[in-house]
Amino acid sequence: MEMLEEQRENWGTRGGFVLAAIGSAVGLGNLWRFPYELYDHGGGAFLIPYIIAVFVVGLPMLIMEFGLGHLTQRAAPDAFAHGHKRFEFVGWWSTILGFVIISFYAVVLAYCFSFLWFSFKGILAGGELPWAAEGIEGVKKAEDFFLKTYLGHTTGSALGAIRWNIFWPLVVTWVVMYLCICKGVKLVGKIVWLTVPLPWLMLLVLTVRGLTLPGSIQGLAYYLNPSWPELAKATTWRFAFGQAFFSLSLAFGGVMITYASFLHRRSDLNNNAAIICLADFGTSFIAGLAIFSTLGGMAFVTAQAGTEVAINQVVRGGAGLAFIVFPYALAQLPYSAWWSFVFFFTLVTLGIDSGFSITESVLAAVVDKTGWRRGLVLPVMTVIGIAVGVIYTTEGGLNWLEVVGDFIDGTWGIAFLGLTECVVLGWLWRIDTLRTHANDRSDWNLGRWWNYAIRIVVPIVLGTIFFWSLFEDLTQAGGFIFDEQGNWILKNCVGLTVVAAAPVLAVAVSLIKSPVRAEQYDNVPGVKNPNLCAGRMGGFVAFCLAIASAAMLAVVVLRGNISGKIQNYFLFQSLTVAIVAILISNYIVDKHVGDYSFPSWLAGWAGIIATLDISAFLAVTLTNLTKKAPTATATHAPAEHLTGVSDVILGVMLLMIIGGLGWCFYRAMAAAGKDESDLPEPSSGPVD
Ligand code: PFF
C-alpha cells in the first residue's frame, strides 16, 4: 500500500542507505561509551542484557521504524500522524529528544576536534603530547589537561563562563554537519562511503596494534571476564538498554524513520535492519577490544618501568575514557602523537555522520510539517543548535552534559519513549500493515511473531525495565528528588524536567495545524471511518480486567505493610487477569484488520494497560528477588588472564558477528539473483 504518490528525494543506492544508517548508528557511543559500560556492568556478563537489547528489542523495533518511514515516506511526526493525527506527538517527542541529544553530542564532537588538533600539534612538535607524563602522575596530568586546562572544569551546578576554546570547535562541528547535509540526502549517501569505512579501517588498525602489544591479554581480561552478580541489578539492564537504543539511534530523533523515508520504493527493509544491528554491535565489541588491549599494553609498559599503573586504577566513565584514560595510555606507548591522531580522527569520523543524522531527521520533521524550505530551516537550526550547545561549553558544562545524557538514555527518556512507540503502533495502529509492507520487498520475511514482538514482548521488556529502575531510583538511599537534609537534588530535578517537558512540548507542537498536510490522510484505512469500530463489548471486558489487574498491583506496591501471603496472592492474581486481558484484546485487534472495520479503542487500551501490568508484575518480582540476592562483589578484581568462560564469550561473539553478517549478505545476494518480476510493482517513487 503506497500512501503517498509523490516524488521524494532518495539515497540513490541501497549501499548509500545502509551505510548512512550504519553511519548514524555507529558513532561516539560505540567507542566512547560501550567499552566502559561493559567494563562497569559485569564485563562479559553485560553482553547478555546487551544482546537481548539489540536483537530481541532493537532489531524488531528497527524494522518497525524502517517500515513506518518507508511506508509513509515521512519523517517521524508525520509518519506517526499517518496512523492517526493523535499519534503525531510520539514523533515530535522523539524529535525533541533528538534535538536535546544533538545539542550535547555536537559538544562531545567538538572535544574530539580539539584533541585531534592537539595530537596534530604533537606530531609537529616531534611527537610530544601535551598531557604526556609517566607513572600514576601521568594519569593526573592527563586528567588535569582535560578537566582543568581544556574544560576549565568546575564542580557543582553553576555554569560559569563560556570556554571559547570549546565554543569555536563547536561552531566547526556544526558547520561541518551543515555542509554534509545542506545538499540533501543524495550527497549524504555519498559522504557516508567515506565516513563509515574510514573509521572502521582505523579501528581495525587500532585493534591490531592493541592486540599485538605485550600485556594486551591482561586488558582483555578486564574487559571480558564476567561478573555474574551484576545481572541482578536493575541498573545493569537499564544501561544495557539505554546503550543499545542510543547506539542503534533507535527511537531517539526518529532518525531511522526519516532515513527509511528517503529509501526508494523497492528497497529491502528487514535484511538491512539486521545488517545494521550486527554492524553496530560488531563495531562496539571490537572497539572494546581495541581500547582494553591498549590499556593492557599501558599496564605492561608502566610495570616494566617500575611505575606500575593498573587498569582498574585508571578506567573511568563518561568522557573520562576517551579524553583522559586512553590519551594517557597512548602517551605511554611508542609513536604516541601519531596514534593519538588516529584515535581522535576515528572518533571524529565515527561521530560526524551520527551527528548529522540527528540534524537531518529534526530538519526533515520541521520541513515535512511546515513546508518551509530546507535551505532556510537548516541554517536556523544550526544557529539554535550552537546556541543551546553553549550551555555545555561553559566551565560547569560537563556536569550538565552527563546529567542530561543519563536521563535521556535511562529509565525516563528512552525506556518510556520506546515503549510508547511500540504500544501505539502495536495496539492502536495496524502493525500487520508494516509487516506486509516490509515483507513485500525484503530479502527474507517476518512471520506473524513479529507483530506480537512489537505489541507484547518489546513493551513488556521495556516496561519491566522502566518500573524496575523506577523502584530502584525511588527507593535509593537518601532519596531521588530530595536528599536526606530535605534539599532539592538539583541535577535530578533538572534531568527530570527535561525528560518530562519533551512529551508535553511534543503534544503542543502536534496541535499546531500543518499548512501543507491535512488532506493527505484521508485514505488511511481505519481513520477513514472511525465509526466502523468493532469488538466494543470484548474491548470493554478486557479494559475492566486490565484496570483490575492494575488496581491489585497498586495495592501491592503502595501498601507495603500487608502480609506476604496477601501480597503474593494479589501479585499472581494481577498477572493472571492481565494475561486474560491481553488475550482478549489481542484477539479483537487481530480480528478486525480489514479495511472497513477498526478494532475498538478500548481493546487497544486494554492491551496497553495489560502489558504495563505484566511489566509492573515482573518489576515487583525482580525487585523482591534481587533484594534477597547477595550483594555483588567488586566487579574488577585485578585479573591477569582471560578465564575459560571469557575465551568462550570472545569466540561466540566473533562467530556471531561474522556468521550473522555472512548470512545477511548471502540472503541479499540470493534475493538479488531472484527474478525481478517477483518484486512488487514500484509506485511512482524513485527507483535506482
Ligand atoms: N548512535 C550514535 C552513537 O552511537 O554514537 C548516537 C546517536 C545518533 C543517537 C543518532 C541518537 C541518534 F538519533
Side-chain angles (χ1 to χ4, degrees):
M1 182 186 58
E2 312 300 345
M3 286 185 187
L4 295 166
E5 302 292 318
E6 69 164 60
Q7 192 82 20
R8 189 166 173 86
E9 215 195 340
N10 78 111
W11 291 106
T13 58
R14 174 172 181 176
F17 164 72
V18 172
L19 282 181
I22 291 181
S24 171
V26 172
L28 300 178
N30 300 62
L31 190 53
W32 163 52
R33 284 181 32 162
F34 176 83
Y36 175 75
E37 300 285 5
L38 192 140
Y39 166 87
D40 198 39
H41 297 290
F46 182 79
L47 288 166
I48 293 179
Y50 191 71
I51 286 176
I52 295 179
V54 172
F55 294 101
V56 177
V57 171
L59 180 58
M61 278 191 71
L62 193 56
I63 296 176
M64 174 185 86
E65 294 206 345
F66 279 175
L68 183 66
H70 193 251
L71 175 78
T72 58
Q73 291 194 275
R74 279 291 184 274
D78 263 25
F80 274 95
H82 267 279
H84 195 289
K85 176 79 183 85
R86 263 178 251 172
F87 305 154
E88 186 182 331
F89 88 95
V90 184
W92 282 115
W93 185 357
S94 80
T95 306
I96 291 167
L97 286 190
F99 187 78
V100 177
I101 289 184
I102 188 58
S103 66
F104 70 74
Y105 201 80
V107 176
V108 183
L109 267 169
Y111 296 172
C112 297
F113 270 111
S114 305
F115 273 69
L116 184 66
W117 173 242
F118 300 143
S119 312
F120 180 66
K121 284 208 310 203
I123 294 174
L124 295 184
E128 189 65 10
L129 288 168
W131 54 84
E134 281 172 11
I136 198 74
E137 297 76 44
V139 185
K140 181 85 184 68
K141 186 160 177 204
E143 186 174 78
D144 282 352
F145 181 80
F146 176 58
L147 292 179
K148 294 197 179 138
T149 316
Y150 180 63
L151 294 182
H153 183 60
T154 50
T155 47
S157 46
L159 287 179
I162 296 174
R163 301 279 301 175
W164 297 104
N165 57 330
I166 310 175
F167 176 81
W168 291 115
L170 176 68
V171 174
V172 171
T173 307
W174 274 98
V175 170
V176 174
M177 292 197 298
Y178 174 91
L179 292 176
C180 289
I181 58 179
C182 66
K183 287 270 165 1
V185 295
K186 235 196 190 105
L187 180 66
V188 171
K190 296 206 173 91
I191 291 175
V192 289
W193 284 93
L194 189 73
T195 56
V196 175
L198 195 64
W200 269 344
L201 191 74
M202 287 188 294
L203 192 59
L204 197 72
V205 173
L206 282 169
T207 313
V208 171
R209 199 246 183 168
L211 290 175
T212 49
L213 288 170
S216 59
I217 292 293
Q218 192 197 348
L220 296 190
Y222 275 98
Y223 179 50
L224 287 179
N225 284 353
S227 160
W228 302 112
E230 292 291 316
L231 292 183
K233 293 183 185 163
T235 38
T236 306
W237 290 80
R238 186 176 75 195
F239 276 104
F241 277 76
Q243 171 64 18
F245 273 78
F246 185 81
S247 195
L248 288 173
S249 310
L250 258 185
F252 293 122
V255 172
M256 293 305 185
I257 301 178
T258 310
Y259 268 18
S261 76
F262 295 120
L263 196 50
H264 69 77
R265 306 309 291 152
R266 277 187 174 195
S267 180
D268 166 281
L269 300 176
N270 302 345
N271 205 17
N272 285 347
I275 293 174
I276 290 155
C277 282
L278 280 161
D280 185 62
F281 175 68
T283 312
S284 292
F285 187 72
I286 294 189
L289 295 183
I291 298 267
F292 276 87
S293 58
T294 309
L295 294 182
M298 173 278 297
F300 180 84
V301 169
T302 51
Q304 293 282 305
T307 51
E308 186 168 2
V309 177
I311 294 175
N312 56 351
Q313 272 179 291
V314 290
V315 176
R316 61 200 73 192
L321 187 63
F323 298 101
I324 300 171
V325 181
F326 205 70
Y328 162 76
L330 288 176
Q332 307 310 304
L333 299 165
Y335 307 110
S336 53
W338 284 98
W339 286 105
S340 176
F341 185 83
V342 171
F343 175 67
F344 286 107
F345 197 64
T346 312
L347 272 178
V348 164
T349 42
L350 274 180
I352 203 78
D353 40 17
S354 303
F356 67 61
S357 73
I358 321 181
T359 319
E360 171 65 53
S361 77
V362 179
L363 173 70
V366 176
V367 169
D368 280 356
K369 169 120 186 173
T370 56
W372 294 337
R373 278 188 306 114
R374 268 178 82 95
L376 188 78
V377 181
L378 184 57
V380 175
M381 251 181 67
T382 303
V383 172
I384 298 179
I386 295 174
V388 176
V390 165
I391 298 173
Y392 307 111
T393 65
T394 56
E395 289 162 339
L398 182 66
N399 306 329
W400 291 106
L401 192 146
E402 288 177 348
V403 167
V404 174
D406 283 354
F407 265 87
I408 289 192
D409 261 6
T411 331
W412 305 92
I414 215 53
F416 212 60
L417 172 60
L419 179 95
T420 312
E421 274 196 6
C422 289
V423 294
V424 161
L425 294 177
W427 288 105
L428 305 178
W429 217 67
R430 292 159 189 275
I431 191 71
D432 206 53
T433 311
L434 293 186
R435 186 176 72 94
T436 38
H437 178 83
N439 282 351
D440 277 350
R441 61 210 72 229
S442 291
D443 299 342
W444 45 265
N445 285 351
L446 294 166
R448 283 180 75 86
W449 59 266
W450 181 80
N451 296 357
Y452 304 121
I454 295 294
R455 190 181 289 160
I456 301 169
V457 180
V458 175
I460 289 182
V461 175
L462 291 178
T464 306
I465 290 170
F466 174 71
F467 285 118
W468 192 14
S469 30
L470 187 70
F471 297 152
E472 208 178 71
D473 279 348
L474 295 182
T475 53
Q476 69 181 227
F480 187 63
I481 305 226
F482 296 107
D483 64 14
E484 275 138 348
Q485 286 82 44
N487 301 321
W488 297 94
I489 304 176
L490 189 66
K491 67 181 178 49
N492 286 351
C493 295
V494 172
L496 264 184
T497 312
V498 172
V499 285
V504 177
L505 199 61
V507 171
V509 178
S510 70
L511 292 177
I512 300 172
K513 202 165 153 28
S514 161
V516 281
R517 213 173 46 188
E519 75 292 354
Q520 286 168 2
Y521 300 111
D522 286 356
N523 61 353
V524 181
V527 176
K528 185 168 49 182
N529 252 325
N531 292 334
L532 291 175
C533 194
R536 280 190 191 149
M537 193 55 212
F540 179 71
V541 172
F543 190 80
C544 292
L545 289 175
I547 295 287
S549 167
M552 284 188 262
L553 281 162
V555 171
V556 173
V557 175
L558 302 176
R559 297 289 310 266
N561 57 353
I562 51 176
S563 86
K565 247 198 191 139
I566 303 180
Q567 212 178 26
N568 283 345
Y569 176 80
F570 271 126
L571 206 55
F572 284 97
Q573 283 308 321
S574 74
L575 177 68
T576 324
V577 173
I579 291 176
V580 176
I582 288 201
L583 290 176
I584 301 176
S585 38
N586 188 56
Y587 173 77
I588 296 172
V589 171
D590 261 355
K591 188 162 167 242
H592 300 287
V593 287
D595 263 5
Y596 294 100
S597 70
F598 193 66
S600 137
W601 283 74
L602 269 183
W605 277 102
I608 295 176
I609 297 170
T611 40
L612 290 179
D613 291 338
I614 296 188
S615 306
F617 163 83
L618 289 173
V620 172
T621 313
L622 283 168
T623 310
N624 290 341
L625 282 178
T626 49
K627 235 191 268 161
K628 290 174 200 139
T631 40
T633 47
T635 320
H636 286 285
E640 287 298 325
H641 301 289
L642 282 180
T643 59
V645 183
S646 312
D647 282 331
V648 174
I649 294 176
L650 186 60
V652 171
M653 288 308 120
L654 294 179
L655 253 178
M656 198 175 108
I657 297 162
I658 297 169
L661 282 172
W663 182 82
C664 291
F665 286 121
Y666 165 73
R667 294 302 299 248
M669 273 154 51
K674 261 192 351 196
D675 183 358
E676 281 285 298
S677 61
D678 289 350
L679 294 168
E681 270 306 297
S683 71
S684 58
V687 178
D688 267 350

Short mmCIF file of all heavy atoms in Angstrom, two decimals, residues 426-463:
data_model
loop_
_atom_site.label_atom_id
_atom_site.label_comp_id
_atom_site.label_asym_id
_atom_site.label_seq_id
_atom_site.Cartn_x
_atom_site.Cartn_y
_atom_site.Cartn_z
N GLY A 426 1.67 -0.98 17.86
CA GLY A 426 1.25 -2.37 18.04
C GLY A 426 -0.22 -2.52 18.36
O GLY A 426 -0.90 -3.41 17.86
N TRP A 427 -0.73 -1.63 19.23
CA TRP A 427 -2.11 -1.80 19.69
C TRP A 427 -3.10 -0.86 19.00
O TRP A 427 -4.26 -1.18 18.85
CB TRP A 427 -2.20 -1.56 21.21
CG TRP A 427 -1.60 -2.67 22.01
CD1 TRP A 427 -0.40 -2.63 22.67
CD2 TRP A 427 -2.13 -3.97 22.25
NE1 TRP A 427 -0.15 -3.82 23.29
CE2 TRP A 427 -1.21 -4.67 23.06
CE3 TRP A 427 -3.30 -4.64 21.87
CZ2 TRP A 427 -1.40 -5.97 23.49
CZ3 TRP A 427 -3.50 -5.94 22.29
CH2 TRP A 427 -2.56 -6.60 23.09
N LEU A 428 -2.64 0.34 18.65
CA LEU A 428 -3.61 1.31 18.15
C LEU A 428 -3.52 1.51 16.64
O LEU A 428 -4.32 2.18 16.05
CB LEU A 428 -3.40 2.65 18.86
CG LEU A 428 -3.46 2.60 20.40
CD1 LEU A 428 -3.19 3.96 21.00
CD2 LEU A 428 -4.80 2.06 20.90
N TRP A 429 -2.50 0.95 16.05
CA TRP A 429 -2.31 1.07 14.61
C TRP A 429 -2.41 -0.33 14.04
O TRP A 429 -2.52 -1.29 14.77
CB TRP A 429 -0.89 1.63 14.36
CG TRP A 429 -0.78 2.57 13.24
CD1 TRP A 429 -1.33 3.81 13.17
CD2 TRP A 429 -0.08 2.37 12.02
NE1 TRP A 429 -1.00 4.41 11.99
CE2 TRP A 429 -0.22 3.54 11.26
CE3 TRP A 429 0.67 1.33 11.48
CZ2 TRP A 429 0.33 3.70 10.00
CZ3 TRP A 429 1.23 1.50 10.24
CH2 TRP A 429 1.06 2.66 9.50
N ARG A 430 -2.26 -0.44 12.72
CA ARG A 430 -2.28 -1.78 12.14
C ARG A 430 -0.86 -2.24 11.92
O ARG A 430 -0.29 -2.04 10.86
CB ARG A 430 -3.00 -1.73 10.81
CG ARG A 430 -4.44 -1.44 10.95
CD ARG A 430 -4.96 -0.90 9.65
NE ARG A 430 -6.30 -0.44 9.86
CZ ARG A 430 -7.34 -1.23 9.80
NH1 ARG A 430 -7.20 -2.50 9.49
NH2 ARG A 430 -8.54 -0.76 10.02
N ILE A 431 -0.33 -2.92 12.92
CA ILE A 431 1.07 -3.31 12.84
C ILE A 431 1.30 -4.27 11.68
O ILE A 431 2.37 -4.29 11.06
CB ILE A 431 1.54 -3.90 14.20
CG1 ILE A 431 3.06 -4.06 14.25
CG2 ILE A 431 0.89 -5.21 14.51
CD1 ILE A 431 3.79 -2.79 14.35
N ASP A 432 0.26 -5.07 11.36
CA ASP A 432 0.43 -6.04 10.28
C ASP A 432 0.67 -5.35 8.93
O ASP A 432 1.30 -5.91 8.05
CB ASP A 432 -0.79 -6.96 10.21
CG ASP A 432 -0.41 -8.29 9.60
OD1 ASP A 432 0.55 -8.91 10.10
OD2 ASP A 432 -1.04 -8.69 8.60
N THR A 433 0.17 -4.13 8.81
CA THR A 433 0.41 -3.38 7.56
C THR A 433 1.91 -3.16 7.38
O THR A 433 2.44 -3.27 6.27
CB THR A 433 -0.27 -1.99 7.66
OG1 THR A 433 -1.59 -2.17 8.09
CG2 THR A 433 -0.23 -1.26 6.34
N LEU A 434 2.57 -2.84 8.48
CA LEU A 434 4.01 -2.61 8.38
C LEU A 434 4.74 -3.90 8.04
O LEU A 434 5.69 -3.92 7.28
CB LEU A 434 4.56 -2.04 9.69
CG LEU A 434 4.11 -0.65 10.09
CD1 LEU A 434 4.86 -0.18 11.33
CD2 LEU A 434 4.36 0.34 8.96
N ARG A 435 4.25 -5.01 8.64
CA ARG A 435 4.91 -6.30 8.37
C ARG A 435 4.77 -6.68 6.90
O ARG A 435 5.75 -7.02 6.24
CB ARG A 435 4.30 -7.38 9.26
CG ARG A 435 5.01 -8.71 9.17
CD ARG A 435 4.41 -9.70 10.14
NE ARG A 435 3.09 -10.14 9.74
CZ ARG A 435 2.85 -11.24 9.04
NH1 ARG A 435 3.85 -12.01 8.68
NH2 ARG A 435 1.62 -11.57 8.70
N THR A 436 3.56 -6.58 6.37
CA THR A 436 3.39 -6.97 4.97
C THR A 436 4.14 -6.00 4.05
O THR A 436 4.75 -6.42 3.07
CB THR A 436 1.91 -7.05 4.54
OG1 THR A 436 1.23 -5.98 5.18
CG2 THR A 436 1.27 -8.34 4.92
N HIS A 437 4.15 -4.74 4.44
CA HIS A 437 4.89 -3.77 3.62
C HIS A 437 6.38 -4.16 3.58
O HIS A 437 6.99 -4.17 2.51
CB HIS A 437 4.73 -2.37 4.21
CG HIS A 437 5.48 -1.32 3.46
ND1 HIS A 437 4.99 -0.73 2.32
CD2 HIS A 437 6.71 -0.78 3.68
CE1 HIS A 437 5.88 0.14 1.87
NE2 HIS A 437 6.93 0.13 2.68
N ALA A 438 6.92 -4.48 4.75
CA ALA A 438 8.34 -4.83 4.80
C ALA A 438 8.59 -6.15 4.05
O ALA A 438 9.54 -6.26 3.28
CB ALA A 438 8.80 -4.94 6.25
N ASN A 439 7.71 -7.12 4.27
CA ASN A 439 7.92 -8.43 3.63
C ASN A 439 7.85 -8.34 2.11
O ASN A 439 8.57 -9.06 1.42
CB ASN A 439 6.88 -9.43 4.13
CG ASN A 439 7.24 -9.96 5.51
OD1 ASN A 439 8.34 -9.70 6.01
ND2 ASN A 439 6.33 -10.68 6.13
N ASP A 440 6.99 -7.48 1.61
CA ASP A 440 6.82 -7.37 0.16
C ASP A 440 8.10 -7.05 -0.58
O ASP A 440 8.20 -7.25 -1.77
CB ASP A 440 5.81 -6.25 -0.16
CG ASP A 440 4.40 -6.76 -0.05
OD1 ASP A 440 4.24 -7.98 0.08
OD2 ASP A 440 3.47 -5.93 -0.07
N ARG A 441 9.04 -6.46 0.11
CA ARG A 441 10.22 -6.01 -0.62
C ARG A 441 11.53 -6.46 0.01
O ARG A 441 12.59 -5.98 -0.36
CB ARG A 441 10.19 -4.48 -0.76
CG ARG A 441 10.20 -3.74 0.56
CD ARG A 441 9.49 -2.43 0.45
NE ARG A 441 8.06 -2.65 0.34
CZ ARG A 441 7.29 -2.06 -0.58
NH1 ARG A 441 7.79 -1.24 -1.44
NH2 ARG A 441 5.99 -2.31 -0.61
N SER A 442 11.44 -7.38 1.00
CA SER A 442 12.67 -7.71 1.72
C SER A 442 13.27 -9.04 1.28
O SER A 442 12.59 -9.89 0.73
CB SER A 442 12.40 -7.75 3.22
OG SER A 442 12.15 -6.44 3.66
N ASP A 443 14.57 -9.19 1.58
CA ASP A 443 15.28 -10.41 1.19
C ASP A 443 14.77 -11.63 1.96
O ASP A 443 14.91 -12.74 1.50
CB ASP A 443 16.78 -10.24 1.48
CG ASP A 443 17.39 -9.09 0.69
OD1 ASP A 443 16.76 -8.67 -0.30
OD2 ASP A 443 18.47 -8.62 1.07
N TRP A 444 14.27 -11.44 3.14
CA TRP A 444 13.62 -12.53 3.88
C TRP A 444 12.42 -11.98 4.62
O TRP A 444 12.31 -10.77 4.80
CB TRP A 444 14.59 -13.24 4.84
CG TRP A 444 15.46 -12.33 5.67
CD1 TRP A 444 16.72 -11.94 5.39
CD2 TRP A 444 15.12 -11.70 6.92
NE1 TRP A 444 17.21 -11.10 6.36
CE2 TRP A 444 16.26 -10.94 7.32
CE3 TRP A 444 14.00 -11.69 7.75
CZ2 TRP A 444 16.28 -10.21 8.50
CZ3 TRP A 444 14.04 -10.96 8.93
CH2 TRP A 444 15.16 -10.23 9.29
N ASN A 445 11.51 -12.90 4.99
CA ASN A 445 10.22 -12.45 5.52
C ASN A 445 10.11 -12.55 7.03
O ASN A 445 10.70 -13.43 7.66
CB ASN A 445 9.09 -13.28 4.90
CG ASN A 445 8.85 -12.84 3.46
OD1 ASN A 445 9.42 -11.83 3.01
ND2 ASN A 445 8.06 -13.60 2.75
N LEU A 446 9.30 -11.67 7.57
CA LEU A 446 8.98 -11.73 9.00
C LEU A 446 7.72 -12.55 9.17
O LEU A 446 6.75 -12.35 8.43
CB LEU A 446 8.65 -10.33 9.51
CG LEU A 446 9.74 -9.28 9.51
CD1 LEU A 446 9.11 -7.91 9.73
CD2 LEU A 446 10.72 -9.58 10.63
N GLY A 447 7.71 -13.42 10.18
CA GLY A 447 6.48 -14.16 10.47
C GLY A 447 5.54 -13.31 11.31
O GLY A 447 5.89 -12.18 11.71
N ARG A 448 4.39 -13.88 11.63
CA ARG A 448 3.45 -13.13 12.47
C ARG A 448 4.00 -12.87 13.86
O ARG A 448 3.52 -11.99 14.58
CB ARG A 448 2.12 -13.90 12.59
CG ARG A 448 1.26 -13.78 11.35
CD ARG A 448 -0.01 -14.56 11.57
NE ARG A 448 -0.91 -13.87 12.47
CZ ARG A 448 -1.78 -12.94 12.09
NH1 ARG A 448 -1.87 -12.62 10.83
NH2 ARG A 448 -2.57 -12.36 12.95
N TRP A 449 4.99 -13.66 14.26
CA TRP A 449 5.59 -13.46 15.58
C TRP A 449 6.04 -12.01 15.75
O TRP A 449 6.04 -11.47 16.85
CB TRP A 449 6.78 -14.41 15.80
CG TRP A 449 7.86 -14.25 14.77
CD1 TRP A 449 8.00 -14.97 13.62
CD2 TRP A 449 8.93 -13.28 14.75
NE1 TRP A 449 9.08 -14.52 12.89
CE2 TRP A 449 9.67 -13.48 13.57
CE3 TRP A 449 9.33 -12.26 15.61
CZ2 TRP A 449 10.77 -12.72 13.23
CZ3 TRP A 449 10.44 -11.49 15.27
CH2 TRP A 449 11.14 -11.73 14.09
N TRP A 450 6.41 -11.40 14.64
CA TRP A 450 6.93 -10.02 14.74
C TRP A 450 5.86 -9.07 15.28
O TRP A 450 6.14 -8.20 16.09
CB TRP A 450 7.43 -9.58 13.35
CG TRP A 450 8.00 -8.19 13.37
CD1 TRP A 450 9.24 -7.83 13.77
CD2 TRP A 450 7.34 -6.99 12.97
NE1 TRP A 450 9.40 -6.47 13.63
CE2 TRP A 450 8.25 -5.93 13.14
CE3 TRP A 450 6.07 -6.71 12.46
CZ2 TRP A 450 7.94 -4.61 12.84
CZ3 TRP A 450 5.75 -5.39 12.16
CH2 TRP A 450 6.68 -4.36 12.35
N ASN A 451 4.59 -9.28 14.82
CA ASN A 451 3.51 -8.43 15.34
C ASN A 451 3.45 -8.53 16.87
O ASN A 451 3.27 -7.54 17.57
CB ASN A 451 2.14 -8.89 14.82
CG ASN A 451 2.03 -8.74 13.33
OD1 ASN A 451 2.94 -8.24 12.70
ND2 ASN A 451 0.92 -9.19 12.76
N TYR A 452 3.60 -9.79 17.33
CA TYR A 452 3.48 -9.99 18.79
C TYR A 452 4.72 -9.48 19.52
O TYR A 452 4.65 -9.07 20.67
CB TYR A 452 3.18 -11.46 19.11
CG TYR A 452 1.95 -11.91 18.36
CD1 TYR A 452 1.99 -12.96 17.46
CD2 TYR A 452 0.75 -11.22 18.51
CE1 TYR A 452 0.87 -13.32 16.74
CE2 TYR A 452 -0.37 -11.56 17.79
CZ TYR A 452 -0.31 -12.61 16.91
OH TYR A 452 -1.42 -12.94 16.18
N ALA A 453 5.84 -9.53 18.81
CA ALA A 453 7.05 -8.98 19.43
C ALA A 453 6.84 -7.48 19.69
O ALA A 453 7.10 -6.98 20.79
CB ALA A 453 8.26 -9.19 18.54
N ILE A 454 6.32 -6.77 18.67
CA ILE A 454 6.14 -5.33 18.83
C ILE A 454 5.00 -5.01 19.79
O ILE A 454 5.08 -4.08 20.59
CB ILE A 454 5.83 -4.68 17.45
CG1 ILE A 454 7.03 -4.81 16.52
CG2 ILE A 454 5.40 -3.21 17.61
CD1 ILE A 454 8.24 -4.05 16.94
N ARG A 455 3.96 -5.81 19.72
CA ARG A 455 2.78 -5.48 20.51
C ARG A 455 2.93 -5.90 21.97
O ARG A 455 2.47 -5.19 22.87
CB ARG A 455 1.58 -6.21 19.88
CG ARG A 455 0.27 -5.79 20.44
CD ARG A 455 -0.84 -6.57 19.79
NE ARG A 455 -1.07 -6.20 18.40
CZ ARG A 455 -1.71 -7.00 17.52
NH1 ARG A 455 -2.13 -8.19 17.87
NH2 ARG A 455 -1.91 -6.59 16.28
N ILE A 456 3.58 -7.05 22.18
CA ILE A 456 3.59 -7.58 23.55
C ILE A 456 5.00 -7.71 24.14
O ILE A 456 5.28 -7.15 25.21
CB ILE A 456 2.88 -8.96 23.59
CG1 ILE A 456 1.44 -8.79 23.09
CG2 ILE A 456 2.89 -9.56 24.98
CD1 ILE A 456 0.70 -10.07 22.83
N VAL A 457 5.89 -8.40 23.43
CA VAL A 457 7.18 -8.72 24.05
C VAL A 457 8.01 -7.46 24.33
O VAL A 457 8.44 -7.22 25.46
CB VAL A 457 8.00 -9.71 23.17
CG1 VAL A 457 9.33 -10.03 23.82
CG2 VAL A 457 7.19 -10.97 22.92
N VAL A 458 8.20 -6.64 23.28
CA VAL A 458 9.05 -5.46 23.48
C VAL A 458 8.47 -4.52 24.55
O VAL A 458 9.20 -4.09 25.46
CB VAL A 458 9.30 -4.72 22.14
CG1 VAL A 458 10.07 -3.45 22.35
CG2 VAL A 458 10.04 -5.64 21.18
N PRO A 459 7.16 -4.20 24.50
CA PRO A 459 6.65 -3.33 25.57
C PRO A 459 6.81 -3.94 26.96
O PRO A 459 7.12 -3.21 27.91
CB PRO A 459 5.16 -3.17 25.24
CG PRO A 459 5.06 -3.45 23.80
CD PRO A 459 6.15 -4.43 23.47
N ILE A 460 6.64 -5.26 27.06
CA ILE A 460 6.79 -5.85 28.39
C ILE A 460 8.25 -5.72 28.85
O ILE A 460 8.52 -5.34 30.00
CB ILE A 460 6.32 -7.32 28.41
CG1 ILE A 460 4.80 -7.36 28.28
CG2 ILE A 460 6.77 -8.03 29.69
CD1 ILE A 460 4.18 -8.73 28.33
N VAL A 461 9.18 -6.00 27.95
CA VAL A 461 10.59 -5.89 28.35
C VAL A 461 10.92 -4.44 28.74
O VAL A 461 11.47 -4.18 29.82
CB VAL A 461 11.53 -6.36 27.21
CG1 VAL A 461 12.97 -6.12 27.59
CG2 VAL A 461 11.29 -7.82 26.88
N LEU A 462 10.54 -3.50 27.88
CA LEU A 462 10.86 -2.09 28.19
C LEU A 462 10.12 -1.62 29.44
O LEU A 462 10.66 -0.88 30.26
CB LEU A 462 10.52 -1.19 27.00
CG LEU A 462 11.40 -1.36 25.77
CD1 LEU A 462 10.93 -0.46 24.65
CD2 LEU A 462 12.86 -1.05 26.10
N GLY A 463 8.87 -2.04 29.56
CA GLY A 463 8.07 -1.65 30.72
C GLY A 463 8.69 -2.20 32.00
O GLY A 463 8.76 -1.51 33.03
#
